[in-house]
Amino acid sequence: MKKNDIEYYCKISVDGINLNNLINSCVNAGIDLKNIVKVEPKKIEFSLSDGDLKKFKNINTQGLEIKILRQSMLRRFLHFLLYRIGLIVGLVVSFALILFMQNRLFSIQILGLNNISQTEVEKVLKDYGINKFSLMNFDKIDLENYLAKSLNFSFVSVVTEGNVLIISVKEELPDLDKFYEPITSSYNMIIKDICVYSGTTNKKSGDIVFKGETLVEPYQVINGEKIDIVPCAEISCEVILSDKYEFFATETKTVMTGKSKVISTNYMLGKIKLFGKTYKNNFGTFEIKEYSKEISNYFLPIRMTKTIAYETKTVEIENNFEKSKEKIINDLKQKVYSKVTSEMNVESEDIQINSTNYGNIVTIYLKSSVYLKYGK
């Protein structure tokens, strides 16, 4: 027997006395012992087929120590399958699901409906032979014509995105007085991905778009004819929000000296001026404040108004950036984060401090990922 063939049999070890009696018992029982090897004076090893192993278990082996050193190839294979049955079943089921779900319809989206219900459109689709989990091997142009004829749509567009069927419709003939708004950008942003379901755009992934710029025009060109339509799109983009604070190392400010002078006093009866007096103002620079006080309320109200000039002067103030830096950054953060909307997901924050000939400029940048959905 070839060495490789032995691998297909189980291997037995027998330890004890009267090994010759054991061999004779095996021969009498019709057991074919293969590759008998005497390992020690009282120990032999041999190989058996699975059938002979069953016979071997029925002979008298009292007083002998028997060990199965190796199961047969068949038993090892069955053992392998048994302990991996869950994995094998999972793989088989997964493969079957992949085969079943491939090119199957998972979802139907219908856009542009106003008077006709989605249920009615789905019923027409079912009559055509299209429903969830049906094969997506239909003719799109034929389906467009079928829907237009069945439901009197003036415009039908059928597209597929993966396992999703997207149908854009227009229920009536274009109204020249009707105006559809284009989709415009709400932010300064970089487009990461744009998917247009209805409408026209010349934007693509990687384009830089400024706030207010048009993303999708409200029309489509079908067979050379421009047809107005409600634009519909999904856009993933990156938005950078920023704000800055300019810090001046020295500032010129106007402050009050503490000196003041009354420059006019008037007494009024309602809106009628009873009498008043004006005084000369000798201050070079000043601020004016007016005070009013009711001095009599008997029969007729009398009010006194006094105008006071407060002397001011210009001074130069030295500012310490290191002492102010933390407060500047915290205040600036609050200002920038107040611009973050609910649809933004802030991914990173960057604080930059640049020196200038007059002081410093502190700038905070927030990078956010934004998912925008229009017309759906």
Side-chain angles (χ1 to χ4, degrees), residues 316-327:
E316 193 171 81
I317 299 175
E318 297 286 338
N319 295 318
N320 188 312
F321 178 69
E322 292 302 321
K323 289 183 178 180
S324 306
K325 182 169 68 173
E326 185 176 353
K327 184 178 186 306

Side-chain angles (χ1 to χ4, degrees), residues 262-268 272-279 303-306:
V262 177
I263 57 176
S264 71
T265 305
N266 294 297
Y267 294 87
M268 308 290 293
I272 302 172
K273 182 177 179 179
L274 298 178
F275 61 91
K277 190 172 183 181
T278 303
Y279 305 93
R303 180 172 295 276
M304 178 190 72
T305 59
K306 184 181 291 186

Side-chain angles (χ1 to χ4, degrees), residues 141-299:
I141 296 177
D142 185 64
L143 178 58
E144 290 175 354
N145 294 333
Y146 181 81
L147 290 173
K149 184 178 179 180
S150 301
L151 298 169
N152 294 321
F153 290 138
S154 62
F155 168 77
V156 181
S157 172
V158 174
V159 296
T160 55
E161 291 286 339
N163 295 86
V164 180
L165 173 64
I166 302 166
I167 303 173
S168 301
V169 303
K170 196 169 186 181
E171 295 182 10
E172 55 187 16
L173 292 173
D175 186 352
L176 296 178
D177 296 327
K178 199 167 186 178
F179 177 73
Y180 296 103
E181 293 284 347
I183 297 174
T184 56
S185 175
S186 303
Y187 313 100
N188 296 328
M189 63 187 190
I190 301 173
I191 296 176
K192 292 196 290 187
D193 185 51
I194 180 169
C195 186
V196 179
Y197 301 111
S198 62
T200 302
T201 184
N202 59 356
K203 303 299 181 186
K204 62 183 183 302
S205 176
D207 283 355
I208 297 174
V209 179
F210 296 99
K211 183 176 181 179
E213 192 173 341
T214 299
L215 295 169
V216 182
E217 297 285 0
Y219 67 83
Q220 281 185 221
V221 178
I222 308 295
N223 297 327
E225 181 182 358
K226 182 179 176 181
I227 299 176
D228 294 331
I229 193 171
V230 177
C232 175
E234 293 182 13
I235 301 172
S236 296
C237 58
E238 184 179 276
V239 175
I240 304 295
L241 298 177
S242 66
D243 214 322
K244 68 177 181 178
Y245 179 87
E246 293 187 82
F247 177 85
F248 294 89
T250 59
E251 288 184 277
T252 301
K253 291 187 177 180
T254 300
V255 297
M256 293 183 180
T257 64
K259 296 180 181 180
S260 62
K261 183 176 180 61
V262 177
I263 57 176
S264 71
T265 305
N266 294 297
Y267 294 87
M268 308 290 293
L269 178 62
K271 293 184 179 181
I272 302 172
K273 182 177 179 179
L274 298 178
F275 61 91
K277 190 172 183 181
T278 303
Y279 305 93
K280 187 177 181 181
N281 180 13
N282 296 321
F283 295 148
T285 57
F286 54 90
E287 288 184 9
I288 297 294
K289 291 187 180 181
E290 190 175 273
Y291 302 92
S292 179
K293 181 180 179 182
E294 194 174 82
I295 60 175
S296 174
N297 198 21
Y298 295 103
F299 302 108

Side-chain angles (χ1 to χ4, degrees), residues 32-89:
D32 185 12
L33 303 179
K34 301 181 183 298
N35 200 32
I36 301 174
V37 178
K38 190 171 184 179
V39 180
E40 296 175 4
K42 295 182 180 182
K43 183 176 181 180
I44 62 171
E45 293 179 359
F46 52 84
S47 299
L48 292 174
S49 67
D50 287 339
D52 286 336
L53 179 62
K54 291 180 182 179
K55 296 177 184 179
F56 183 78
K57 291 180 179 179
N58 294 325
I59 67 174
N60 183 14
T61 57
Q62 187 174 2
L64 299 174
E65 183 182 349
I66 299 172
K67 294 181 182 178
I68 298 178
L69 302 178
R70 181 187 67 236
Q71 293 284 2
S72 68
M73 182 70 76
L74 177 60
R75 287 185 175 274
R76 278 179 282 163
F77 179 70
L78 292 175
H79 183 272
F80 173 84
L81 292 181
L82 179 63
Y83 280 86
R84 288 164 179 78
I85 190 68
L87 175 62
I88 294 170
V89 171

